[in-house]
């Protein structure tokens, strides 16, 4: 469907390459881009973090908006800029007191939340809601405001009782992050007292910005069909399953795509060699060699033949890192497998992984940190990708690994269940298998799935078919963008 020039205001707390802590950042680049490609007129508004401001070229001040903060009025400036990675104007809410800080957008250097996050994202939401009503009289009035995750949950709430307002869509990228704050914050921020009910934003004695998005948005989406069903159950609902179940009429699961401009093994500028489904070798092997060379200077033929398993991700409980930590020593003892892991997150996981690497310096290679280029090199250079997430709203890494000819081992949940076809006998026979799926949570089933992967890896013809089936999957954003456009116009 072509949508003419439907005006859509995207409101988000991250967008690659300006600011990214995970898949949210990726989506906030590629989804608006895909919609722009289908004729939509897009603006994307982001907070003016220090690292983001640093990357901006020429900016124009669109205007000034004063809104209620925690201590009184907070003055903000709205900047407009163009950036080579975005085909539409970006708007930035500049408020040095709240956003001009080094490092992570949500966390201090020590890993704790910024203590004023309630104010930071309430002010951001107030400004975004004003922009959605063209408060600066720019002559640009969106038909739809599309907000993402708890940081923007209040936008729909601020808009809900405005007379002539755009439609609001709220996307849940991860229900585990609820944006929970105290009653004191609620009062200090002078949020409307009628929101303070169990049917409003109140949540276990405090309030939840995520809940505000669910309650007040006209439509709620999440990033895969399976996760849309899972979050309506107590096991995945983080206390919001009852609410979500009651709002099922406006809840939609739309699978993310991947950005094939950035994630394409035949053009990826981060890779030492290129390859495609039609000709996987020798390109993929060169990537493995380069990756091994980085960690194991004398890597010989034996290391090249041995399976190399990889993981890239946030080191948090969601991602099943404890299962990985338990599985690796078993696999080291019973096979010749090696491991490359890149991630950052909870200090306990970082420390345990680093310790494992010190214990097995020629078998386990661990990089703690955030490294975009290395993430691409791991996707291309390893043989098997590990993603045993306990829950996964969508997950992009498994789709990247499919596209890079690196069959993933995944737990059957959320977007992982929707994108990976298990290599059981039937799927192998008909050529539809793309990876290894286990459906009982825990180390034992995870290990069994990895063992199946290692077995098949020893059968080159079957392995090649598996790789090629994954590489030929289309996870094009165009399909998802069409779903969003249907939703916007419904
Ligand atoms: P989530 O959003 O839950 O973190 P996704 O799989 O949707 O999971 O997306 C993760 C994104 O973040 C991917 O683009 C992945 O490559 C990237 N990523 C995660 N950790 C790192 C890291 N340490 N270095 C580089 N990229 C990372
Ligand atoms: C979240 C989820 C992840 C999803 C990403 C983008 O961070 O954890 O599963 O892919 O958002 O929607």
């Amino acid at each position: 469907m072509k949508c003419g020039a439907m005006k859509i205001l995207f409101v988000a707390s991250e967008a690659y390459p300006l600011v990214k802590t995970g898949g949210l950042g990726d989506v906030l680049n590629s989804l608006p881009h895909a919609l722009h490609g289908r004729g939509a007129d897009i603006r994307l508004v982001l907070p003016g973090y220090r690292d983001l401001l640093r990357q901006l070229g020429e900016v124009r001040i669109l205007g000034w908006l004063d809104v209620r903060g925690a201590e009184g009025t907070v003055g903000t400036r709205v900047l407009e800029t163009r950036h080579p990675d975005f085909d539409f104007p970006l708007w930035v809410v500049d408020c040095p007191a709240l956003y001009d800080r080094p490092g992570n957008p949500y966390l201090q250097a020590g890993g704790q939340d910024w203590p004023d996050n309630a104010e930071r994202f309430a002010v951001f939401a107030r400004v975004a809601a004003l922009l959605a009503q063209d408060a600066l009289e720019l002559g640009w009035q969106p038909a739809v405001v599309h907000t993402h995750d708890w940081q923007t949950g209040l936008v729909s709430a601020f808009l809900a009782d405005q007379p002539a307002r755009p439609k609001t869509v709220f996307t849940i990228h991860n229900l585990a992050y609820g944006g929970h704050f105290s009653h004191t914050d609620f009062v200090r921020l002078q949020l409307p007292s009628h929101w303070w009910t169990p049917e409003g934003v109140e949540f276990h004695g405090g309030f939840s910005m995520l809940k505000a998005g669910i309650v007040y948005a006209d439509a709620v989406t999440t990033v895969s069909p399976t996760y849309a069903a899972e979050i309506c159950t107590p096991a995945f609902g983080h206390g919001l399953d009852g609410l979500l179940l009651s709002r099922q009429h406006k809840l939609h699961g739309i699978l993310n795509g991947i950005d094939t401009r950035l994630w394409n093994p035949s053009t990826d500028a981060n890779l030492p060699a290129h390859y495609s489904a039609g000709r996987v070798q020798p390109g993929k092997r060169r990537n493995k060699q380069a990756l091994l060379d980085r960690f194991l200077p004398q890597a010989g033929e034996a290391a090249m033949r041995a399976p190399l398993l990889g993981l890239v991700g946030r080191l948090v409980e969601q991602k099943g890192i404890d299962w990985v930590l338990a599985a690796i020593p078993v696999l080291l003892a019973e096979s010749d497998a090696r491991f490359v892991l890149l991630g950052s997150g909870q200090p306990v996981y970082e420390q345990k992984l680093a310790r494992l690497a010190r214990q097995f310096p020629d078998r386990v290679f661990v990089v703690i940190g955030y490294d975009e280029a290395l993430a691409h090199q791991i996707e291309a250079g390893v043989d098997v990708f590990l993603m045993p997430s306990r829950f996964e709203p969508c997950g992009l890494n498994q789709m990247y690994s499919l596209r890079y000819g690196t069959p993933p081992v995944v737990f059957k949940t959320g977007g992982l269940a929707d994108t990976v076809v298990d290599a059981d006998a039937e799927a192998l026979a008909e050529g539809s298998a793309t990876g290894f799926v286990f459906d009982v949570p825990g180390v034992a089933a995870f290990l069994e799935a990895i063992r199946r992967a290692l077995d098949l890896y020893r059968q080159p013809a079957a392995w090649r078919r598996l790789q090629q089936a994954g590489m030929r999957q289309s996870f094009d954003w165009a399909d998802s963008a069409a779903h969003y456009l249907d939703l916007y116009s419904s």
Side-chain angles (χ1 to χ4, degrees):
M1 190 192 89
K2 216 38 187 167
C3 72
M6 178 186 273
K7 291 186 172 57
I8 306 165
L9 178 65
F10 269 76
V11 186
S13 58
E14 32 187 292
Y16 175 87
L18 291 170
V19 44
K20 164 174 162 178
T21 68
L24 176 67
D26 291 316
V27 172
L28 266 299
N29 178 300
S30 36
L31 174 58
H33 184 270
L35 293 166
H36 172 84
R38 298 176 79 88
D41 182 12
I42 308 277
R43 299 291 180 277
L44 166 59
V45 55
L46 296 160
Y49 312 114
R50 179 172 303 178
D51 285 342
L52 181 144
L53 294 175
R54 212 197 296 277
Q55 297 170 64
L56 301 185
E58 222 168 274
V59 297
R60 179 163 86 89
I61 303 176
L62 289 180
W64 288 259
L65 289 171
D66 294 342
V67 298
R68 174 71 211 191
E71 310 295 344
T73 301
V74 174
T76 73
R77 298 192 310 178
V78 181
L79 311 176
E80 181 176 79
T81 188
R82 303 297 304 227
H83 184 278
D85 288 294
F86 297 88
D87 293 338
F88 42 82
L90 296 176
W91 289 351
V92 175
V93 179
D94 185 32
C95 178
L98 296 180
Y99 311 123
D100 183 8
R101 302 174 189 180
N104 187 288
Y106 321 120
L107 308 175
Q108 315 178 48
Q112 311 91 331
D113 291 350
W114 292 110
D116 55 349
N117 271 350
E119 180 180 25
R120 297 173 75 226
F121 292 104
V123 164
F124 180 57
R126 282 194 194 270
V127 172
L130 288 170
L131 291 170
Q133 300 169 89
D134 198 19
L136 290 176
E137 297 178 10
L138 306 169
W140 195 87
Q141 172 63 64
V144 175
V145 181
H146 191 162
T147 56
H148 299 266
D149 272 356
W150 71 264
Q151 295 87 344
T152 63
L154 294 184
V155 178
S156 309
F158 286 126
L159 286 171
D161 45 19
Q162 296 301 311
R165 64 168 180 86
K167 287 192 253 184
T168 52
V169 177
F170 178 62
T171 295
I172 301 168
H173 294 264
N174 197 333
L175 198 66
Y177 300 95
H180 297 143
F181 300 100
S182 66
H183 185 251
T184 312
D185 283 323
F186 186 88
V187 173
R188 284 171 67 215
L189 290 164
Q190 288 191 6
L191 297 175
S193 53
H194 68 270
W195 292 2
W196 192 268
T197 73
E199 289 72 44
V201 303
E202 192 185 343
F203 189 71
H204 294 293
F207 75 106
S208 157
M209 292 193 185
L210 182 91
K211 187 178 174 193
I214 297 171
V215 170
Y216 293 105
D218 297 316
V220 178
T221 72
T222 188
V223 286
S224 69
T226 294
Y227 193 61
E230 286 173 341
I231 57 178
C232 295
T233 67
F236 293 90
H238 293 273
L240 291 167
D241 40 292
L243 172 69
L244 285 159
L245 197 60
S246 73
R247 306 299 154 106
Q248 251 184 335
H249 58 278
K250 66 169 187 180
L251 175 63
H252 310 264
I254 302 177
L255 192 71
N256 286 334
I258 61 172
D259 194 325
T260 48
R261 297 167 304 171
L262 299 170
W263 293 94
N264 181 347
S266 58
T267 55
D268 189 333
N270 299 295
L271 304 188
H274 293 137
Y275 58 98
S276 60
R279 190 150 183 266
V280 181
Q281 302 303 0
K284 186 156 170 63
R285 206 183 348 258
R286 288 216 191 103
N287 279 279
K288 181 172 181 178
Q289 182 78 61
L291 191 62
L292 278 173
D293 285 348
R294 173 179 178 143
F295 297 108
L296 196 67
Q298 305 86 6
E301 237 335 276
M304 278 300 287
R305 264 198 315 274
L308 187 59
L309 283 63
L311 178 151
V312 178
R314 293 181 298 114
L315 304 178
V316 296
E317 204 201 354
Q318 173 191 347
K319 302 290 177 182
I321 303 302
D322 47 334
W323 298 344
V324 174
L325 280 162
I328 289 178
V330 178
L331 294 161
L332 288 173
E334 69 182 31
S335 76
D336 55 351
R338 286 188 168 75
F339 298 86
V340 185
L341 304 107
L342 165 65
S344 63
Q346 285 169 233
V348 48
Y349 293 136
E350 294 186 349
Q351 286 153 14
K352 285 186 176 170
L353 285 172
R355 194 177 317 139
L356 209 53
R358 280 195 304 273
Q359 254 177 302
F360 302 98
D362 55 355
R363 306 267 314 263
V364 182
F365 317 115
V366 171
V367 177
I368 299 297
Y370 193 91
D371 186 336
E372 195 74 33
L374 182 58
H376 288 246
Q377 289 152 9
I378 291 175
E379 292 286 6
V382 303
D383 298 302
V384 175
F385 194 85
L386 303 180
M387 197 156 170
S389 310
R390 287 187 164 78
F391 66 93
E392 195 60 78
C394 178
L396 299 174
N397 273 314
Q398 84 281 12
M399 293 195 266
Y400 300 151
S401 70
L402 288 169
R403 189 160 172 89
Y404 279 59
T406 306
V409 177
V410 303
F411 179 51
K412 188 172 186 170
T413 186
L416 301 176
D418 290 340
T419 53
V420 182
V421 180
D422 182 51
D424 61 19
E426 197 185 34
L428 278 175
E430 68 183 27
S432 60
T434 60
F436 303 87
V437 183
F438 61 103
D439 53 12
V440 179
V443 187
F446 177 41
L447 269 170
E448 265 320 300
I450 298 177
R451 290 188 184 112
R452 287 197 288 129
L454 298 185
D455 270 356
L456 205 69
Y457 175 76
R458 304 286 178 204
Q459 305 169 42
W463 190 255
R464 195 171 336 108
R465 266 200 306 283
L466 184 77
Q467 288 178 301
Q468 288 173 329
M471 295 181 81
R472 294 201 166 108
Q473 298 288 306
S474 155
F475 295 115
D476 203 315
W477 264 109
D479 305 338
S480 318
H483 281 114
Y484 281 108
L485 285 174
D486 284 346
L487 179 68
Y488 299 154
S489 38
S490 70

